Amino acid sequence: MHLKAPEHQVAGHIAKDGKPGPLVDDKGRFFKPLQGDSRGEIEVMFYESFSSNTQVPDNIRRYFPEYHGTQAVDGSDGAAMIVLENLLSKYSKPSVMDVKMGSRTWYPEASEEYIQKCLRKDKGTTTVSSGFRISGFEVYDHKELSFWKPNRKLLNGIKVDGVRLALRKFVSSNTLSNTSSKPDSAFVSSVYGGSKGILTQLLELKTWFENQTFYHFNSCSILMVYENDSILKGDVDDVQAQVKLVDFAHVHDGNGVIDHNFLGGLCSLINFIRDIVQNPDESSAEN
Amino acid sequence: MLKVPEHQVAGHIARDGKLGPLVDDEGRFYKPLQGDARGENEAKFYESFSLNKEVPDHIHRYFPVYHGTQLVEASNGSGKLPHMVLEDVVSGYLNPSVMDVKIGSRTWYPDVSEVYFKKCIKKDRETTTVSLGFRVSGFKIFDHQESSFWRPDKRVVLGYKVDGARLALRKFVSSNSLADSNSIPNCAFASEVYGGSNGILAQLLELKAWFETQTIFHFNSCSILMVYENDSFLMKGGATEQAPRAQVKLVDFAHVLDGNGVIDHNFLGGLCSFIKFVKDILQIVEERDDIDTSRLENGH
């Protein structure tokens, strides 16, 4: 089994300085090291529960990575890894964005220290103001014919206008690294819009979140992906835009209550994207 | 002649020489302008809201009508103070059951003082605000067996956890002994008050649809008030039953801020959670009624 570091990871831990990071194989699988202090355990417990939960409708399962159990892997000191579907394996040139959902990333069951740490970060980012924050993204620039990703520190400091801009850049073709040029939103209708686009998928998720009380997806992210290769070959419509939920290290039981924290943030993200779809040139809020 | 409102369930109460709202006998509610900019903020909101053309007509019914401000003799004897003049939302009711539910998983908001933030977050964590996205602030219910109003102690209400909130929402539409904490609420009025095309759930869903797109206001620390008429459920010797006229109103706008192009995701999340609680009660009642009906049909 030949394992290597994933190419297009935009957020989360990466393999550096001897610390384990995720790996991918050539069979479409993603190996995620079990994080310490019970987070890895919680994530495994979530995947185990979710994969056997018969009350989750089929049309919602597609928004979650497939789970293939845990495995000890050579080269990671025999440490156990979670084996998941590699969400990017069917893409040849994917643009990817990771959006951390919820107006708070802390939750009642967490330690006081953790809560304070999260609160500080939530207040300093768009988490509190907008109900979500952009953790990272990588976009294919069709003029430069290469990938571009913004500086992580810069991203952490963006406010609401920065979020709007990033969501537009994500579906644009023009020189992205040049911050003074306006993004052209060239792929808005095929990536965000349409019956298979991201907005439709988010709306489907929203309906489920209005009723499901199984899980509270604290600190989870929504990953948005689409294919640039088909655009390069002249087919703007075949972008295979996909929404996936990822990162379940802090998921807890819903205990009969809906995940109002995630849902509020999801509705906010939907509104941002819908605004861009309805105003491909510029939304009223950006004037 | 102004007097202390009979049916106030939350907020400052004009009693024992304290400053609080008053009502007249013409359906108006006089709310003293609170100090430290809150009163000003609330009046500014009402003014802005009544003029705002982007608010659809069918949403206006969920807000008290605003009649400007007026100098009125204050309830604490400190002379004439400016008061906001609002619609008294319970004035058309003879014996209303009323509940105040503070909506949102946080009552603080960006840019507040550290002191205010700490005070809010402590209360949010101690109540169901963080866990449920809303908390019951207060309520009074007409007990049909005792023929009198019952209201729980404020400290008890603030101490509610998830089960307590659920129980309160059931008691709100029940006719059996509410004061007895051991009796199971019968939810006798659930379908008429919560359900139906004009019931509370239908109104909440209408509000939800507006909140999914409106970016004009952020309703920090606002409450939803639920009211209904008990007299419609009292047998009046052959008189036709009237509808309970269940009504939802948003109240308390001292902390409303501009939306700035972002939806009020804090209020919306809490509203959806509240909707789910009401839906669950309706579903249990429906299932129970179905079982009863089939029992009747099977000769039990």
Side-chain angles (χ1 to χ4, degrees), chain A residues 103-104 106-108 110 112 115-116 119 123 126-131 160 164 206 210-213 216 255-258 260-261 263-265 267-268 271-272 274 285, chain B residues 105-106 108-110 114 117 121 125 128-134 162 166 208 212-215 218 260-263 265-266 268-270 272-274 276-277 279-280:
Chain A
S103 66
R104 62 168 151 88
W106 60 274
Y107 44 99
E112 195 57 35
I115 290 176
Q116 293 306 322
L119 251 172
K123 283 166 110 179
T126 57
T127 287
V128 165
S129 60
S130 307
V160 177
R164 264 184 209 115
K206 169 177 166 280
E210 285 169 348
N211 293 287
Q212 78 85 12
T213 60
H216 283 184
N255 286 323
V257 181
I258 64 163
H260 51 86
N261 177 52
L263 178 57
C267 288
S268 183
N271 201 60
F272 271 76
R274 180 169 35 216
Chain B
S105 67
R106 60 167 152 87
W108 57 274
Y109 42 99
E114 191 63 21
F117 163 70
I121 196 167
R125 288 173 74 176
T128 58
T129 287
V130 164
S131 53
L132 293 182
F134 63 88
V162 178
R166 215 174 255 130
K208 168 178 169 280
E212 284 170 348
T213 54
Q214 79 84 10
T215 60
H218 282 185
N260 286 324
V262 182
I263 63 163
H265 52 87
N266 177 52
L268 178 56
C272 287
S273 182
F274 186 60
K276 181 72 166 75
F277 266 59
K279 263 195 190 150
D280 282 349

Side-chain angles (χ1 to χ4, degrees), chain B residues 107-152:
Chain B
T107 52
W108 57 274
Y109 42 99
D111 303 325
V112 291
S113 73
E114 191 63 21
V115 167
Y116 186 75
F117 163 70
K118 285 207 152 81
K119 180 178 114 174
C120 285
I121 196 167
K122 179 171 186 286
K123 196 153 182 185
D124 294 350
R125 288 173 74 176
E126 285 168 358
T127 59
T128 58
T129 287
V130 164
S131 53
L132 293 182
F134 63 88
R135 65 173 179 251
V136 176
S137 288
F139 59 105
K140 72 183 262 186
I141 321 180
F142 191 77
D143 187 327
H144 288 253
Q145 279 170 7
E146 302 293 316
S147 253
S148 62
F149 279 100
W150 174 74
R151 72 164 83 204

Side-chain angles (χ1 to χ4, degrees), chain A residues 199-217:
Chain A
L199 185 57
T200 301
Q201 297 180 44
L202 293 176
L203 288 166
E204 202 173 34
L205 264 174
K206 169 177 166 280
T207 304
W208 185 59
F209 269 93
E210 285 169 348
N211 293 287
Q212 78 85 12
T213 60
F214 305 120
Y215 311 106
H216 283 184
F217 293 93

